[in-house]
Amino acid sequence: MKTFVDFGLIALMKFSLVILTILSLPAVGLAQSGLRADLFEPAPSIGDLLATRSAEIKKGRFTISLGSDWAYHVLGIENPDKSATKWIVEQRASLQASFNYAPSSQLRLAAGFNSAVFQQGTRSNDWGAEVPLEAAMGSTWLAAVWAPLRSSDGRLAGALETSLVLPSAQTSGLVGARDLGVRVTGLFSARFDWISLLLNLGMATRSQIEFRDLDRDDGLIYRLGVEFGHNTWPVFISAELAGETPLHNPFSSGLNEFLETLWGVRAKFGDFHLQLGASIGLLGAGAPKVRGLALVRWTITSEKMGACIE
């Protein structure tokens, strides 16, 4: 088993180097139909906040996560006379599902998908005609988290997350392009008696899409979160900043930025965790005026799983 894990860690490091090489390649331009209007990505695992990922890994833990979020006033166009805004994505309800398993204390594997189950707005098709925005399948992804850094008391941890975004999105739904994408993100965690600090810094690749003054291209991801609560408490409270800025020209344009602030509460019911949250968009096209979230996570250890099978 140890040999298998060591081999997996080496393979993951090599794969991450390949991904970093891909990040330097130029993007390809696409039409508006491939635009990803909302850049928000709910966190997939126990120990994560609403958006910010934790670097901690619990060996043998299997987790199923189901979530939904509703966003209002996601993407709009101001008329030249400054009259009523034309909403391309006025509101959107999304569903997400993910599964992850940690075969060791240094490696966690995950997979998931998301979809826009309801949308309201008006987009332009490839011929320039205005058509109603409809529900659409989003992205499917695979991820591996490698955590080589951990303090002796377990309070500090560092990890590298490498994600592969598969080309499953329906471009007409403005949920992304049908192209392969990659993300490489550094995860850092610090846990103390009643407070936890989480920091994520990473890069994401996507096909370049220009729509009016909006330019979606490779991005620099940053997330910062704090959670208040002791391990013996049934309820935790969190606050976060989650954003992305263009990789080629960071923090240069308010329109092409993405930044929102999130507040959440997490409740534990045995092996089940319920997270509820809300957010306000602070900056950029695609950051909604307001968002509501609900995430349900069920976790089981390999020992309990074996007992259930027996």
Coordinates of all heavy atoms in Angstrom, one line a residue, residues 62-139:
F62 N -14.1 9.0 3.1 CA -14.9 9.1 1.9 C -16.0 10.1 2.1 O -16.8 10.0 3.1 CB -15.4 7.7 1.5 CG -16.3 7.7 0.3 CD1 -15.8 7.8 -1.0 CD2 -17.7 7.7 0.4 CE1 -16.6 7.8 -2.1 CE2 -18.5 7.7 -0.8 CZ -17.9 7.8 -2.0
T63 N -16.2 11.0 1.2 CA -17.2 12.1 1.3 C -18.0 12.3 0.1 O -17.4 12.3 -1.0 CB -16.5 13.4 1.7 OG1 -15.7 13.3 2.9 CG2 -17.5 14.5 1.9
I64 N -19.3 12.4 0.2 CA -20.2 12.8 -0.8 C -20.8 14.2 -0.5 O -21.2 14.4 0.6 CB -21.4 11.8 -0.9 CG1 -20.8 10.4 -1.3 CG2 -22.4 12.2 -2.0 CD1 -21.9 9.3 -1.3
S65 N -20.7 15.1 -1.5 CA -21.2 16.4 -1.3 C -22.2 16.8 -2.3 O -22.0 16.6 -3.5 CB -20.0 17.4 -1.3 OG -20.5 18.7 -1.2
L66 N -23.3 17.3 -1.9 CA -24.4 17.8 -2.8 C -24.7 19.3 -2.4 O -24.8 19.6 -1.2 CB -25.7 17.0 -2.7 CG -25.6 15.5 -3.0 CD1 -26.9 14.8 -2.7 CD2 -25.2 15.3 -4.4
G67 N -24.8 20.1 -3.4 CA -25.1 21.5 -3.1 C -25.9 22.2 -4.2 O -26.1 21.7 -5.3
S68 N -26.4 23.4 -3.8 CA -27.2 24.2 -4.7 C -26.9 25.7 -4.4 O -26.7 26.0 -3.2 CB -28.7 23.9 -4.5 OG -29.4 24.8 -5.3
D69 N -26.9 26.5 -5.4 CA -26.8 27.9 -5.1 C -27.7 28.7 -6.1 O -27.9 28.2 -7.2 CB -25.3 28.4 -5.2 CG -24.8 28.5 -6.6 OD1 -24.4 27.5 -7.2 OD2 -24.8 29.7 -7.2
W70 N -28.1 29.8 -5.6 CA -29.0 30.7 -6.4 C -28.3 32.1 -6.5 O -28.0 32.6 -5.4 CB -30.4 30.8 -5.8 CG -31.3 31.8 -6.5 CD1 -31.9 31.7 -7.7 CD2 -31.5 33.2 -6.0 NE1 -32.6 32.9 -7.9 CE2 -32.4 33.8 -6.9 CE3 -31.1 33.8 -4.8 CZ2 -32.8 35.1 -6.7 CZ3 -31.6 35.2 -4.7 CH2 -32.4 35.8 -5.6
A71 N -28.2 32.6 -7.7 CA -27.5 33.9 -7.9 C -28.4 34.8 -8.6 O -29.1 34.4 -9.6 CB -26.2 33.7 -8.6
Y72 N -28.4 36.1 -8.2 CA -29.3 37.1 -8.8 C -28.5 38.3 -9.3 O -27.5 38.7 -8.7 CB -30.2 37.6 -7.7 CG -31.2 38.7 -8.1 CD1 -32.2 38.4 -9.0 CD2 -31.1 40.0 -7.6 CE1 -33.1 39.4 -9.4 CE2 -32.1 41.0 -8.0 CZ -33.0 40.6 -8.9 OH -34.0 41.6 -9.3
H73 N -28.9 38.7 -10.6 CA -28.2 39.8 -11.3 C -26.7 39.4 -11.5 O -25.8 40.0 -11.0 CB -28.3 41.1 -10.6 CG -29.6 41.8 -10.8 ND1 -29.9 43.0 -10.3 CD2 -30.7 41.3 -11.4 CE1 -31.1 43.4 -10.7 NE2 -31.7 42.4 -11.4
V74 N -26.5 38.3 -12.3 CA -25.2 37.8 -12.5 C -24.4 38.5 -13.5 O -23.3 38.9 -13.3 CB -25.3 36.3 -12.9 CG1 -23.9 35.7 -13.1 CG2 -26.0 35.5 -11.8
L75 N -25.0 38.7 -14.7 CA -24.3 39.4 -15.8 C -25.3 40.2 -16.6 O -26.3 39.7 -17.1 CB -23.7 38.3 -16.7 CG -22.9 38.8 -17.9 CD1 -21.6 39.6 -17.5 CD2 -22.4 37.6 -18.8
G76 N -25.0 41.5 -16.7 CA -25.9 42.4 -17.5 C -25.1 43.4 -18.3 O -23.9 43.6 -18.2
I77 N -25.8 44.1 -19.2 CA -25.3 45.1 -20.1 C -26.0 46.4 -19.8 O -27.2 46.5 -19.9 CB -25.4 44.7 -21.5 CG1 -24.7 43.4 -21.8 CG2 -24.9 45.8 -22.4 CD1 -24.9 42.9 -23.2
E78 N -25.3 47.5 -19.6 CA -25.9 48.8 -19.4 C -26.2 49.4 -20.8 O -25.3 49.4 -21.7 CB -25.0 49.8 -18.6 CG -24.9 49.5 -17.1 CD -24.2 50.5 -16.3 OE1 -23.7 51.5 -17.0 OE2 -24.1 50.4 -15.1
N79 N -27.4 50.0 -21.0 CA -27.7 50.7 -22.2 C -26.9 52.0 -22.3 O -26.5 52.6 -21.3 CB -29.2 50.9 -22.3 CG -30.0 49.7 -22.4 OD1 -29.6 48.8 -23.1 ND2 -31.1 49.6 -21.7
P80 N -26.6 52.4 -23.5 CA -25.8 53.7 -23.7 C -26.4 54.9 -23.0 O -25.7 55.8 -22.5 CB -25.8 53.9 -25.2 CG -26.0 52.5 -25.8 CD -26.9 51.8 -24.8
D81 N -27.8 54.9 -22.9 CA -28.4 56.1 -22.2 C -28.5 55.9 -20.7 O -29.2 56.7 -20.0 CB -29.8 56.3 -22.8 CG -30.7 55.1 -22.7 OD1 -30.2 54.0 -22.1 OD2 -31.8 55.1 -23.2
K82 N -27.9 54.8 -20.2 CA -27.9 54.6 -18.7 C -29.3 54.2 -18.2 O -29.5 54.4 -17.0 CB -27.3 55.8 -17.9 CG -25.9 56.1 -18.3 CD -24.9 55.0 -18.1 CE -23.5 55.4 -18.4 NZ -22.5 54.4 -18.2
S83 N -30.1 53.7 -19.1 CA -31.5 53.3 -18.6 C -31.4 51.9 -18.0 O -30.3 51.5 -17.6 CB -32.5 53.4 -19.8 OG -32.0 52.6 -20.8
A84 N -32.5 51.2 -18.1 CA -32.6 49.9 -17.4 C -31.5 48.9 -18.0 O -31.2 48.9 -19.2 CB -33.9 49.3 -17.6
T85 N -30.9 48.1 -17.1 CA -29.9 47.2 -17.5 C -30.5 46.0 -18.3 O -31.5 45.5 -17.9 CB -29.1 46.7 -16.3 OG1 -28.5 47.7 -15.6 CG2 -28.0 45.6 -16.7
K86 N -29.9 45.6 -19.3 CA -30.3 44.4 -20.1 C -29.5 43.2 -19.4 O -28.3 43.1 -19.5 CB -29.9 44.5 -21.5 CG -30.2 43.2 -22.3 CD -29.7 43.3 -23.7 CE -29.8 41.9 -24.4 NZ -29.2 42.0 -25.8
W87 N -30.3 42.2 -18.8 CA -29.7 41.1 -18.1 C -29.5 39.9 -19.0 O -30.5 39.3 -19.5 CB -30.5 40.8 -16.9 CG -30.5 41.8 -15.9 CD1 -31.4 42.8 -15.6 CD2 -29.4 42.2 -15.0 NE1 -31.0 43.6 -14.6 CE2 -29.7 43.3 -14.2 CE3 -28.1 41.6 -14.9 CZ2 -28.9 43.8 -13.3 CZ3 -27.2 42.2 -13.9 CH2 -27.6 43.3 -13.2
I88 N -28.3 39.6 -19.3 CA -28.0 38.3 -20.0 C -28.2 37.2 -19.1 O -28.9 36.2 -19.5 CB -26.5 38.4 -20.5 CG1 -26.3 39.5 -21.4 CG2 -26.2 37.1 -21.2 CD1 -24.9 39.7 -21.9
V89 N -27.7 37.2 -17.9 CA -28.0 36.2 -16.9 C -28.6 37.0 -15.7 O -27.9 37.5 -14.8 CB -26.8 35.4 -16.4 CG1 -27.2 34.3 -15.4 CG2 -26.1 34.8 -17.6
E90 N -30.0 37.1 -15.6 CA -30.6 37.8 -14.5 C -30.6 37.0 -13.2 O -30.3 37.5 -12.2 CB -32.1 38.1 -14.9 CG -32.8 39.0 -13.9 CD -34.1 39.5 -14.3 OE1 -34.6 39.0 -15.4 OE2 -34.7 40.3 -13.6
Q91 N -30.9 35.7 -13.3 CA -30.8 34.8 -12.2 C -30.5 33.4 -12.6 O -30.8 33.0 -13.8 CB -32.0 34.9 -11.3 CG -33.3 34.5 -12.0 CD -34.5 34.6 -11.1 OE1 -34.4 34.0 -10.0 NE2 -35.6 35.2 -11.5
R92 N -29.9 32.7 -11.7 CA -29.4 31.3 -12.1 C -29.5 30.4 -10.8 O -29.0 30.9 -9.8 CB -28.0 31.3 -12.7 CG -27.4 29.9 -12.8 CD -26.0 30.0 -13.3 NE -25.9 30.3 -14.7 CZ -24.8 30.5 -15.4 NH1 -23.6 30.4 -14.8 NH2 -24.8 30.8 -16.7
A93 N -30.0 29.2 -10.9 CA -30.0 28.2 -9.9 C -29.1 27.1 -10.4 O -29.3 26.6 -11.5 CB -31.4 27.7 -9.5
S94 N -28.1 26.7 -9.6 CA -27.2 25.6 -10.0 C -27.2 24.5 -9.0 O -27.5 24.7 -7.8 CB -25.8 26.2 -10.0 OG -25.7 27.3 -10.9
L95 N -26.8 23.3 -9.5 CA -26.7 22.1 -8.6 C -25.3 21.6 -8.8 O -24.7 21.6 -9.9 CB -27.7 21.0 -9.0 CG -29.1 21.3 -8.6 CD1 -30.0 20.1 -9.1 CD2 -29.3 21.4 -7.1
Q96 N -24.7 21.1 -7.7 CA -23.3 20.5 -7.8 C -23.3 19.2 -7.0 O -24.1 19.0 -6.1 CB -22.3 21.5 -7.2 CG -22.2 22.9 -7.8 CD -23.2 23.8 -7.1 OE1 -23.5 23.6 -5.9 NE2 -23.6 24.8 -7.7
A97 N -22.5 18.3 -7.5 CA -22.2 17.0 -6.7 C -20.8 16.7 -6.9 O -20.1 16.9 -7.9 CB -23.1 15.9 -7.3
S98 N -20.2 16.1 -5.8 CA -18.8 15.7 -5.8 C -18.6 14.5 -4.9 O -19.4 14.3 -4.0 CB -17.9 16.9 -5.4 OG -18.1 17.3 -4.1
F99 N -17.5 13.8 -5.2 CA -17.1 12.6 -4.4 C -15.6 12.7 -4.2 O -14.9 13.0 -5.2 CB -17.5 11.3 -5.2 CG -18.9 11.4 -5.8 CD1 -19.1 11.9 -7.0 CD2 -20.0 10.8 -5.1 CE1 -20.4 11.9 -7.6 CE2 -21.2 10.9 -5.6 CZ -21.5 11.4 -6.8
N100 N -15.2 12.4 -3.0 CA -13.7 12.4 -2.8 C -13.3 11.3 -1.8 O -14.1 11.0 -0.9 CB -13.2 13.7 -2.5 CG -13.7 14.3 -1.1 OD1 -13.2 13.8 -0.1 ND2 -14.6 15.2 -1.2
Y101 N -12.1 10.8 -1.9 CA -11.6 9.8 -1.1 C -10.1 10.0 -0.8 O -9.4 10.4 -1.7 CB -11.8 8.4 -1.7 CG -11.2 7.3 -0.9 CD1 -11.7 6.9 0.4 CD2 -10.1 6.5 -1.4 CE1 -11.1 5.9 1.1 CE2 -9.5 5.5 -0.6 CZ -10.1 5.2 0.6 OH -9.5 4.2 1.4
A102 N -9.7 9.8 0.4 CA -8.3 9.9 0.8 C -7.6 8.6 1.1 O -7.8 8.0 2.2 CB -8.2 10.8 2.0
P103 N -6.9 8.0 0.1 CA -6.2 6.7 0.4 C -5.1 6.8 1.4 O -4.6 5.8 1.9 CB -5.7 6.3 -1.0 CG -5.6 7.6 -1.8 CD -6.6 8.5 -1.2
S104 N -4.6 8.0 1.6 CA -3.5 8.2 2.6 C -3.7 9.6 3.2 O -4.5 10.4 2.8 CB -2.1 8.1 1.9 OG -1.8 9.3 1.2
S105 N -2.8 9.9 4.2 CA -2.9 11.2 4.8 C -2.2 12.3 4.0 O -2.2 13.5 4.4 CB -2.2 11.2 6.2 OG -0.8 10.8 6.0
Q106 N -1.7 12.0 2.8 CA -1.1 12.9 1.9 C -1.8 13.1 0.6 O -1.4 13.9 -0.2 CB 0.4 12.6 1.7 CG 1.3 12.8 2.9 CD 2.7 12.5 2.6 OE1 3.1 11.5 2.0 NE2 3.6 13.4 3.0
L107 N -2.8 12.3 0.3 CA -3.4 12.3 -1.0 C -4.9 12.1 -0.9 O -5.4 11.3 -0.2 CB -2.8 11.1 -1.8 CG -3.3 11.0 -3.3 CD1 -2.9 12.2 -4.1 CD2 -2.9 9.7 -3.9
R108 N -5.6 13.0 -1.6 CA -7.0 12.9 -1.7 C -7.4 13.1 -3.2 O -7.0 14.0 -3.9 CB -7.7 14.1 -0.9 CG -9.3 14.0 -0.9 CD -9.9 14.9 0.0 NE -9.7 16.3 -0.4 CZ -9.3 17.3 0.3 NH1 -8.8 17.0 1.5 NH2 -9.2 18.5 -0.2
L109 N -8.3 12.2 -3.7 CA -8.8 12.2 -5.0 C -10.3 12.6 -5.1 O -11.0 12.2 -4.2 CB -8.6 10.8 -5.7 CG -7.2 10.2 -5.6 CD1 -7.2 8.8 -6.1 CD2 -6.2 11.0 -6.4
A110 N -10.7 13.3 -6.1 CA -12.0 13.8 -6.1 C -12.5 13.9 -7.6 O -11.8 14.0 -8.5 CB -12.1 15.2 -5.5
A111 N -13.9 13.9 -7.7 CA -14.5 14.1 -9.0 C -15.9 14.7 -8.7 O -16.5 14.6 -7.7 CB -14.7 12.8 -9.7
G112 N -16.4 15.5 -9.7 CA -17.6 16.2 -9.5 C -18.2 16.8 -10.8 O -17.5 16.7 -11.9
F113 N -19.3 17.3 -10.7 CA -19.9 18.0 -11.9 C -20.9 19.1 -11.3 O -21.3 19.1 -10.2 CB -20.7 17.1 -12.8 CG -21.9 16.5 -12.2 CD1 -23.2 17.1 -12.3 CD2 -21.9 15.3 -11.4 CE1 -24.3 16.6 -11.7 CE2 -23.0 14.8 -10.9 CZ -24.3 15.4 -11.0
N114 N -21.3 20.0 -12.2 CA -22.3 21.0 -11.9 C -23.2 21.3 -13.1 O -22.8 21.0 -14.2 CB -21.6 22.3 -11.3 CG -20.8 23.0 -12.4 OD1 -21.3 23.5 -13.4 ND2 -19.4 23.0 -12.2
S115 N -24.3 21.9 -12.8 CA -25.2 22.3 -13.9 C -26.1 23.5 -13.5 O -26.3 23.7 -12.3 CB -26.1 21.1 -14.2 OG -26.9 20.7 -13.1
A116 N -26.5 24.2 -14.5 CA -27.4 25.3 -14.2 C -28.8 24.8 -14.5 O -29.2 24.6 -15.7 CB -27.1 26.5 -15.2
V117 N -29.6 24.5 -13.4 CA -30.9 23.8 -13.6 C -32.0 24.8 -13.9 O -33.1 24.4 -14.4 CB -31.3 23.0 -12.3 CG1 -30.3 21.9 -12.1 CG2 -31.3 24.0 -11.1
F118 N -31.8 26.1 -13.7 CA -32.7 27.2 -14.0 C -32.0 28.4 -14.3 O -31.1 28.8 -13.6 CB -33.7 27.4 -12.9 CG -34.6 28.6 -13.1 CD1 -35.6 28.6 -14.0 CD2 -34.3 29.8 -12.4 CE1 -36.4 29.8 -14.1 CE2 -35.0 30.9 -12.6 CZ -36.1 30.9 -13.4
Q119 N -32.4 29.1 -15.4 CA -31.7 30.4 -15.7 C -32.8 31.3 -16.3 O -33.7 30.9 -17.0 CB -30.6 30.2 -16.8 CG -29.5 29.4 -16.3 CD -28.2 29.5 -17.1 OE1 -27.3 30.2 -16.8 NE2 -28.2 28.8 -18.2
Q120 N -32.6 32.6 -16.1 CA -33.5 33.6 -16.6 C -32.6 34.7 -17.2 O -31.7 35.2 -16.5 CB -34.4 34.2 -15.5 CG -35.5 35.1 -16.1 CD -36.4 35.5 -15.0 OE1 -36.0 36.1 -14.0 NE2 -37.7 35.3 -15.1
G121 N -32.8 35.1 -18.4 CA -32.1 36.1 -19.1 C -32.2 36.0 -20.6 O -32.9 35.1 -21.1
T122 N -31.5 36.8 -21.3 CA -31.5 36.8 -22.8 C -30.1 36.9 -23.3 O -29.3 37.8 -23.0 CB -32.3 38.0 -23.3 OG1 -33.6 38.0 -22.7 CG2 -32.4 38.0 -24.8
R123 N -29.7 35.9 -24.1 CA -28.4 35.9 -24.7 C -28.5 36.1 -26.2 O -29.6 36.0 -26.8 CB -27.7 34.6 -24.4 CG -28.3 33.4 -25.1 CD -27.5 32.1 -24.9 NE -28.0 31.0 -25.6 CZ -27.7 30.7 -26.9 NH1 -26.8 31.4 -27.5 NH2 -28.2 29.6 -27.5
S124 N -27.3 36.3 -26.9 CA -27.3 36.4 -28.3 C -26.7 35.1 -28.9 O -25.7 34.6 -28.4 CB -26.4 37.5 -28.8 OG -26.9 38.8 -28.3
N125 N -27.3 34.5 -29.9 CA -26.8 33.2 -30.4 C -25.7 33.6 -31.4 O -25.3 34.7 -31.6 CB -27.9 32.4 -31.1 CG -28.6 33.1 -32.2 OD1 -28.1 34.1 -32.8 ND2 -29.8 32.7 -32.6
D126 N -25.2 32.5 -32.1 CA -24.1 32.7 -33.1 C -24.4 33.6 -34.3 O -23.5 34.0 -35.0 CB -23.6 31.4 -33.5 CG -23.0 30.6 -32.4 OD1 -22.6 31.2 -31.4 OD2 -22.9 29.3 -32.5
W127 N -25.7 33.9 -34.5 CA -26.1 34.7 -35.6 C -26.5 36.1 -35.2 O -27.0 36.9 -35.9 CB -27.3 34.0 -36.4 CG -26.9 32.8 -37.1 CD1 -26.3 32.6 -38.3 CD2 -27.0 31.5 -36.5 NE1 -26.0 31.3 -38.6 CE2 -26.4 30.6 -37.5 CE3 -27.4 30.9 -35.3 CZ2 -26.4 29.2 -37.3 CZ3 -27.4 29.6 -35.1 CH2 -26.8 28.7 -36.1
G128 N -26.4 36.4 -33.9 CA -26.7 37.7 -33.4 C -28.1 37.9 -32.9 O -28.5 39.0 -32.4
A129 N -28.9 36.9 -33.0 CA -30.3 37.0 -32.6 C -30.4 36.7 -31.1 O -29.7 35.9 -30.5 CB -31.2 36.0 -33.4
E130 N -31.4 37.5 -30.5 CA -31.6 37.3 -29.0 C -32.5 36.1 -28.8 O -33.6 36.0 -29.4 CB -32.2 38.6 -28.5 CG -31.2 39.8 -28.5 CD -31.8 41.0 -27.8 OE1 -32.9 40.9 -27.3 OE2 -31.0 42.0 -27.6
V131 N -32.1 35.3 -27.9 CA -32.8 34.1 -27.5 C -32.9 33.9 -26.0 O -32.0 34.4 -25.3 CB -32.2 32.8 -28.1 CG1 -32.4 32.8 -29.6 CG2 -30.8 32.6 -27.7
P132 N -33.9 33.3 -25.4 CA -34.0 33.1 -24.0 C -32.8 32.2 -23.5 O -32.5 31.2 -24.2 CB -35.3 32.5 -23.7 CG -36.1 32.8 -25.0 CD -35.1 32.8 -26.1
L133 N -32.3 32.5 -22.3 CA -31.3 31.6 -21.7 C -32.0 30.5 -21.0 O -33.0 30.6 -20.3 CB -30.5 32.5 -20.6 CG -29.3 31.9 -20.1 CD1 -28.2 31.6 -21.2 CD2 -28.7 32.8 -19.0
E134 N -31.4 29.3 -21.2 CA -32.1 28.1 -20.7 C -31.1 27.3 -19.8 O -29.9 27.6 -19.7 CB -32.5 27.2 -21.9 CG -33.6 27.8 -22.8 CD -34.0 26.9 -23.9 OE1 -33.3 25.9 -24.2 OE2 -35.0 27.2 -24.6
A135 N -31.7 26.3 -19.1 CA -30.9 25.4 -18.3 C -29.8 24.7 -19.1 O -30.0 24.4 -20.3 CB -31.8 24.4 -17.6
A136 N -28.7 24.3 -18.5 CA -27.6 23.7 -19.2 C -26.7 22.9 -18.3 O -26.5 23.2 -17.1 CB -26.8 24.8 -19.9
M137 N -26.1 21.9 -18.9 CA -25.1 21.1 -18.2 C -23.8 21.9 -18.1 O -23.4 22.6 -19.0 CB -24.8 19.8 -18.9 CG -23.7 18.9 -18.3 SD -24.2 18.3 -16.7 CE -22.6 17.5 -16.2
G138 N -23.2 21.9 -16.9 CA -21.9 22.6 -16.7 C -20.7 21.7 -16.9 O -20.7 20.8 -17.7
S139 N -19.7 22.0 -16.1 CA -18.4 21.3 -16.2 C -18.4 20.0 -15.4 O -19.1 19.9 -14.4 CB -17.3 22.2 -15.8 OG -17.4 22.6 -14.5

